[in-house]
Amino acid sequence: MTSLEAMMAQNSVSRSNKIGPEERLAAIEALKTKELDVLVVGGGIVGTGAALDAVTRGLSTGLLEARDWASGTSSRSSKLVHGGIRYLEQLDFGLVREALIERGLLLQRIAPHLVKPVRFLYPLTKPVWERFYIGAGMFLYDIFSYSGGRPPGVPHHRHLSKRQIQRSIPSLAANAFTGGLTYYDAQVDDARYVSSVARTASFYGAHVASRVRVEGFLKVGQRVVGVTAHDLQTGETFEIRAKQVVNATGVWTDDTQALVGERGQFKVRASKGVHLLVPRDRFQSTMGMILRTEKSVLFVIPWGRHWIIGTTDTDWNLDKAHPAATAADIDYILEHVNQVLAVPLTREDVEGVYAGLRPLLAGESDQTSKLSREHIVTHSVPGLVVVAGGKWTTYRIMAKDAIDAAADALDGRIPPSTTQDIALLGAEGYQAAWNKRGKIARAFGVHKVRIEHLLNRYGVLTDELLDLIRHRPELAEPLPGADDYLQAEVVYAASHEGALHLEDVLARRTRISIEAWDRGVSAAPIAAALMADVLGWDEERTEREVQNYLKRVAAERASQEQPDDASADRVRLEAPDVASVTE
């Protein structure tokens, strides 16, 4: 922090690198009492990005999320920051180039602690012509990645022979390929990234609050001048005034627009994508893979001690908050990945499952895999900007375009977006901290792998977790059934990262709900007790949080045994939503 930043932090209650319970209350009080320049509705990747974009232009900014940060689509992606190599085949060169430029920016400037290069194999099954065809596409991919005026941050593609592939991926079936190409993209813990963007927006002065649901829009004539908001933690309903409101609610866009009483100019269609997690030792490989299917592509992505395998691409018209994976979805993924593995995977190998919804702009085709990944920004009614569609990777461009539209309607000259130069909290000085990780580990008497884990999740903010451990050495112990995560991370999630419920920690601040064999059942009581100390829960509330989480796990497991979407949705909804538990 510079001396100027330090001075501003001391003089403003909203400028804090925490978004804990006290900061949330302060933000809500500020939202009640002042008219904002911009209020953003939706705490996913685009909404948090829009809030950061607005506040760093000097606009007074608010940000509301009805549930937890990234609790919808933004925590259930393929966890890739990528150009979308398959869009080259659709000749969508502009989208690919834009995404690749953003990939380089995220890797090298905005969040090097959270976004990491990952190597993929594209196996070839046809001789000569396929190598030429795919190689030409990857050459174009590399060229586009250099077109943003900075190096791409990852190596260029390479051609491999069949023998080279067999050495790199011994678990591939010998008859599954004739050769291959390797290329690089990047990956990210999507939920952690979103909460980091919300935190960074708060640091720059935005008033951010999760678990606050917008239940209506305030209008003067035809103009939107604010919202009616409901604090789900306290039950209080209040009004927030804003010169411009930005609707960034993803697959909920149509529902949010309906609150305005105006017919939307476009529709957002939800496409369900299912992913499986299997242990890393189930097959040997030094890289991930991208496989073609009859409908789309299938990724096999290295993820710590696991592989993420997905995704599906099917229409979804049921509950948007809790999309459910079916037995058919799981079997589809296993069937296709097993076509290239020497030893097939079974249902018993599947450690975790998650389903997310892509917000696709409807109208171009009946097939969801063909719908546009472009985004749209429109002033649907005066005072209300709507942003929808797009890809996770290009969130910053979507946010910029949305705030550009809002700024055009505000009085005075509004500065242009600066987010291409603004690193997320924890990023500045990350490389220096990484280079000192051995010394840090020795100083705190912990294994270097633990420090690496923390640095790749918190960047230089790792100091704050180590301070917790210094004062409470027992927090250096791992959580039961989730050895990768320390107890200090639970405390920190509640005190600094806006986690208000047990589910927030186990499903999003950590990824225990999809990475642990028991999906966090054994970690839940310990984590709830740690959160209780921070959030002031009594024994009854603590037990209710645990029971609610256990019901969620049981409902998800049961839904994944169902044959179709309707059955899976019905079973999944047997577990109460966390908001309804505390209302």
Side-chain angles (χ1 to χ4, degrees), residues 179-502:
L181 295 92
T182 65
Y183 73 101
Y184 281 81
D185 264 321
Q187 68 178 173
V188 64
D189 184 333
D190 46 9
R192 169 150 296 284
Y193 191 100
V194 173
S195 63
S196 296
V197 179
R199 234 178 124 179
T200 306
S202 174
F203 174 74
Y204 281 99
H207 309 294
V208 311
S210 63
R211 304 288 177 188
V212 178
R213 184 169 63 210
V214 170
E215 298 190 335
F217 286 85
L218 306 176
K219 296 176 78 173
V220 173
Q222 291 299 305
R223 184 175 188 82
V224 170
V225 296
V227 303
T228 301
H230 179 195
D231 184 347
L232 299 177
Q233 294 297 109
T234 65
E236 181 185 9
T237 298
F238 54 93
E239 293 183 348
I240 304 173
R241 301 278 170 171
K243 296 173 184 175
Q244 292 287 307
V245 178
V246 176
N247 176 4
T249 51
V251 293
W252 285 272
T253 298
D254 295 351
D255 302 319
T256 312
Q257 287 298 100
L259 296 175
V260 189
E262 298 285 340
R263 185 177 176 183
Q265 299 177 11
F266 56 88
K267 294 291 183 183
V268 174
R269 185 165 158 187
S271 165
K272 183 177 73 169
V274 173
H275 296 81
L276 312 181
L277 273 81
V278 301
R280 193 69 176 268
D281 62 6
R282 289 304 182 266
F283 59 90
Q284 289 181 279
S285 176
T286 59
M287 64 188 83
M289 288 185 287
I290 177 172
L291 308 171
R292 296 293 293 267
T293 73
E294 65 276 9
K295 297 178 183 177
S296 183
V297 297
L298 193 74
F299 283 102
V300 180
I301 307 162
W303 180 258
R305 300 177 192 239
H306 300 82
W307 297 101
I308 294 177
I309 307 174
T311 180
T312 59
D313 198 342
T314 55
D315 219 1
W316 179 263
N317 298 302
L318 301 167
D319 182 71
K320 296 185 183 76
H322 306 292
T326 65
D329 293 327
I330 296 169
D331 290 342
Y332 170 86
I333 294 172
L334 291 176
E335 175 190 347
H336 281 81
V337 76
N338 283 340
Q339 290 175 6
V340 300
L341 295 180
V343 179
L345 298 171
T346 68
R347 285 290 293 263
E348 286 67 39
D349 294 316
V350 176
E351 215 167 12
V353 181
Y354 66 93
L357 300 176
R358 303 176 191 86
L360 304 179
L361 299 179
E364 289 122 42
S365 169
D366 288 335
Q367 290 180 279
T368 57
S369 61
K370 300 292 186 184
L371 290 174
S372 176
R373 298 313 306 273
E374 300 281 359
H375 68 273
I376 190 168
V377 174
T378 179
H379 246 123
S380 58
V381 297
L384 180 64
V385 174
V386 184
V387 55
K391 285 161 47 71
W392 204 102
T393 302
T394 55
Y395 84 89
R396 196 190 64 81
I397 301 296
M398 295 174 66
K400 170 188 171 296
D401 291 349
I403 302 305
D404 281 346
D408 286 344
L410 293 172
D411 296 331
R413 295 186 61 181
I414 308 301
S417 175
T418 61
T419 52
Q420 72 275 8
D421 296 316
I422 293 175
L424 300 189
L425 292 177
E428 295 286 5
Y430 161 73
Q431 193 58 56
W434 181 259
N435 292 342
K436 295 193 300 182
R437 63 194 185 279
K439 291 181 179 178
I440 297 170
R442 288 191 294 274
F444 281 85
V446 298
H447 198 284
K448 187 169 78 169
V449 171
R450 291 289 190 199
I451 299 299
E452 291 174 349
H453 163 86
L454 294 174
L455 286 171
N456 285 331
R457 286 169 53 73
Y458 306 94
V460 299
L461 298 179
T462 293
D463 282 353
E464 297 179 350
L465 282 102
L466 294 175
D467 281 341
L468 284 176
I469 292 171
R470 182 185 288 114
H471 291 105
R472 296 176 58 187
E474 72 276 11
L475 295 181
E477 293 298 315
L479 289 166
D483 288 349
D484 286 342
Y485 298 98
L486 304 181
Q487 293 185 22
E489 296 182 72
V490 177
V491 174
Y492 190 78
S495 63
H496 285 67
E497 297 183 326
L500 297 171
H501 294 279
L502 179 60

Side-chain angles (χ1 to χ4, degrees), residues 45-75:
I45 185 60
V46 176
T48 55
L52 179 58
D53 191 288
V55 75
T56 52
R57 297 189 196 208
L59 300 172
S60 59
T61 304
L63 171 64
L64 300 180
E65 163 55 39
R67 296 161 68 216
D68 182 30
W69 308 117
S71 58
T73 302
S74 295
S75 63

